[in-house]
Amino acid sequence: QRDIDRHRLYARDLSDYLRKHGVNCIIDQYYEEKPPESGWPRWMEKQIEESDFVLMVCSSSYYDLIRREERGTERGRGSQFEGRVIYGCLSMEPSANKFIPVFFGRRVAKQIPTVVAQSTSYQILFPLDMEMSEQKDLRKLYGILVGKDKVELPPLGEKNLSVGDGTGEKDEEDQEGPSHK
């Protein structure tokens, strides 16, 4: 139970931090005082479907819950339902990069749900306001969330067939036009 409570606190801190820095991060904790009229399962499914990204806060408890190895308590049933929705989304679009595993503390492989085990995961250190040079994964995650993770390649120039052999004459390979993709 302490693991769950600590992760809920960290998830809230991370969400507040991201919102403060321009990311429209939404978590169920914001709605606990006034639950959604549609009910939690429909609300959760809608949030997952409409999101560009879903941060999966990985822990041993979460892993066990979404794999149904631990019977869900009142709180745990939400994680189990969330897991079913995520597995369903990934079965329809297996290459979806919208599900991002994050860790609070040390990474442990057994905490990563199999369905996202091949995804890049991010270790979030607390307190969040520590020196950003120490928050390497948080910086990378933030870049993904705000769309600044794209690699900018230098412009592609025109082919110069005389480069390389010193003669200026086209050889057989140049005539075929090899491509390096």
Side-chain angles (χ1 to χ4, degrees):
Q1 186 64 43
R2 276 189 283 156
D3 179 43
I4 292 171
D5 291 340
R6 187 181 71 232
H7 280 83
R8 283 178 48 80
L9 184 67
Y10 287 170
R12 174 66 184 251
D13 287 350
L14 178 59
S15 182
D16 291 350
Y17 177 88
L18 291 171
R19 290 188 67 78
K20 179 181 172 184
H21 291 90
V23 176
N24 187 17
C25 189
I26 298 172
I27 59 172
D28 58 351
Q29 293 179 51
Y30 295 145
Y31 298 92
E32 286 179 339
E33 296 299 316
K34 187 173 189 274
E37 290 180 20
S38 63
W40 286 113
R42 283 196 179 112
W43 179 87
M44 189 181 309
E45 186 173 27
K46 182 180 179 200
Q47 297 305 312
I48 290 172
E49 288 173 354
E50 293 180 356
S51 308
D52 293 328
F53 299 101
V54 175
L55 302 183
M56 298 173 65
V57 177
C58 297
S59 69
S60 296
S61 299
Y62 181 74
Y63 178 86
D64 291 342
L65 284 167
I66 70 165
R67 291 180 47 98
R68 297 185 195 167
E69 292 175 6
E70 183 178 302
R71 184 161 172 76
T73 62
E74 185 65 31
R75 288 182 182 170
R77 284 194 303 243
S79 294
Q80 287 178 333
F81 181 78
E82 176 184 287
R84 288 192 296 273
V85 173
I86 291 169
Y87 275 74
C89 290
L90 287 169
S91 72
M92 291 185 290
E93 190 179 343
S95 64
N97 291 323
K98 89 185 282 179
F99 300 100
I100 303 173
V102 299
F103 293 87
F104 301 139
R106 192 170 54 93
R107 285 186 181 101
V108 178
K110 179 144 175 32
Q111 295 176 347
I112 305 171
T114 308
V115 73
V116 293
Q118 296 301 314
S119 301
T120 301
S121 60
Y122 298 88
Q123 181 181 28
I124 309 301
L125 305 173
F126 282 86
L128 291 171
D129 60 358
M130 72 172 44
E131 189 66 39
M132 282 309 286
S133 63
E134 297 177 44
Q135 287 281 18
K136 180 178 71 167
D137 281 5
L138 180 57
R139 285 194 326 267
K140 288 178 186 176
L141 175 63
Y142 181 78
I144 290 168
L145 299 175
V146 299
K148 297 224 182 245
D149 64 322
K150 309 297 182 238
V151 175
E152 290 191 34
L153 299 175
L156 185 60
E158 292 189 30
K159 292 180 182 175
N160 183 346
L161 299 178
S162 64
V163 173
D165 67 2
T167 66
E169 293 184 29
K170 296 180 185 178
D171 60 17
E172 218 174 285
E173 187 177 314
D174 288 337
Q175 290 174 7
E176 291 175 14
S179 67
H180 301 281
K181 294 182 182 180

